[in-house]
Amino acid sequence: ITVHCLGDEATLRRWLVYDPRQRVQGWRFASYMLLHSNALHLALNVVIQLVLATPLEVEQGRIGVATIYLGGGVCGALGASLLQPSLYLVGASAGVYALLTSHLAHLYLCHGELRYAGWRLGAVLLLAGADVASLPIPALLGCGRVGWAAHVAGALAGPLLGLAVFPNQSKKDARGRRFVRYVRLLSAVSVMLLIVGAVLGNVYLIALPQLRKPSS
């Protein structure tokens, strides 16, 4: 909110936006989350992330939620850089999607101890479905391209990061602690491999060919 209110179009946006021509400047894969296209874009992301993050912070702690939010944003940029390689990115939508889908990990880990678990699962699926249905709207209204790849990558990262970093789990878990530990380890390894693969893909498939391309 502060960056949006105090931001200078010529300065901050030039240094913080995710620019596909500046992939070597690694901070852009996270700093683009501080920028938004307009006040409505900012308000929607802030309100939705507060609604999603508040119960998670109460039940899983701030560090885990912050890790998922920032990690989802980075994963979103990595995914978009590979699937929509010419697209500029602004906004925290990928981090918001990671928060949304991390509720699935939270429901799994705390199975049997959460109130209204079925309603919470339904809310997650409803919000995700509503966004998928609304993806074509900006293009139809002539508002520019949507970073759907960032949304998808953030949404995929949410459950994996949640299983890996959320500290709390059910104390009455009949599935066995060893199995849950195995699921946590598998999720952590999976998300690390995906991130490393995306970084290498950006370096060897896109960034290096761009650097080698003769200037016109």
Side-chain angles (χ1 to χ4, degrees):
I1 294 173
T2 302
V3 169
H4 184 81
C5 293
L6 301 179
D8 180 273
E9 189 81 19
T11 305
L12 277 181
R13 285 191 172 263
R14 186 173 68 242
W15 286 102
L16 298 182
V17 67
Y18 171 76
D19 184 343
R21 301 169 301 176
Q22 301 290 344
R23 283 180 169 84
V24 294
Q25 297 175 347
W27 71 82
R28 295 179 184 271
F29 286 85
S31 63
Y32 79 99
M33 298 174 68
L34 299 173
L35 301 174
H36 288 80
S37 55
N38 52 52
L40 177 60
H41 187 201
L42 173 68
L44 285 173
N45 272 337
V46 170
V47 171
I48 294 173
Q49 75 186 40
L50 285 174
V51 171
L52 296 174
T54 300
L56 283 178
E57 284 194 355
V58 171
E59 295 164 343
Q60 291 289 358
R62 295 178 180 176
I63 294 177
V65 173
T67 300
I68 289 169
Y69 179 62
L70 295 174
V74 171
C75 289
L78 288 170
S81 67
L82 291 175
L83 299 176
Q84 293 180 290
S86 63
L87 190 68
Y88 288 73
L89 292 178
V90 294
S93 297
V96 171
Y97 271 89
L99 289 176
L100 172 64
T101 56
S102 70
H103 279 265
L104 299 176
H106 177 51
L107 290 169
Y108 172 78
L109 291 173
C110 297
H111 176 75
E113 293 187 355
L114 294 176
R115 300 180 63 187
Y116 311 114
W119 287 101
R120 293 172 75 163
L121 176 61
V124 170
L125 297 178
L126 179 63
L127 286 171
D131 183 78
V132 171
S134 67
L135 280 178
I137 293 177
L140 293 175
L141 296 177
C143 299
R145 297 172 64 189
V146 175
W148 60 265
H151 291 192
V152 171
L156 292 176
L160 295 176
L161 288 169
L163 289 170
V165 305
F166 279 154
N168 299 325
Q169 67 183 64
S170 174
K171 297 180 176 61
K172 311 173 186 176
D173 202 335
R175 297 163 297 180
R177 293 182 181 275
R178 180 174 298 179
F179 179 74
V180 176
R181 284 199 298 268
Y182 173 76
V183 172
R184 284 180 175 276
L185 178 61
L186 183 62
S187 298
V189 171
S190 297
V191 75
M192 288 303 300
L193 289 176
L194 288 172
I195 290 174
V196 170
V199 170
L200 293 177
N202 271 280
V203 171
Y204 290 103
L205 298 179
I206 301 176
L208 288 181
Q210 283 180 348
L211 291 175
R212 293 168 182 162
K213 188 183 299 183
S215 57
S216 56

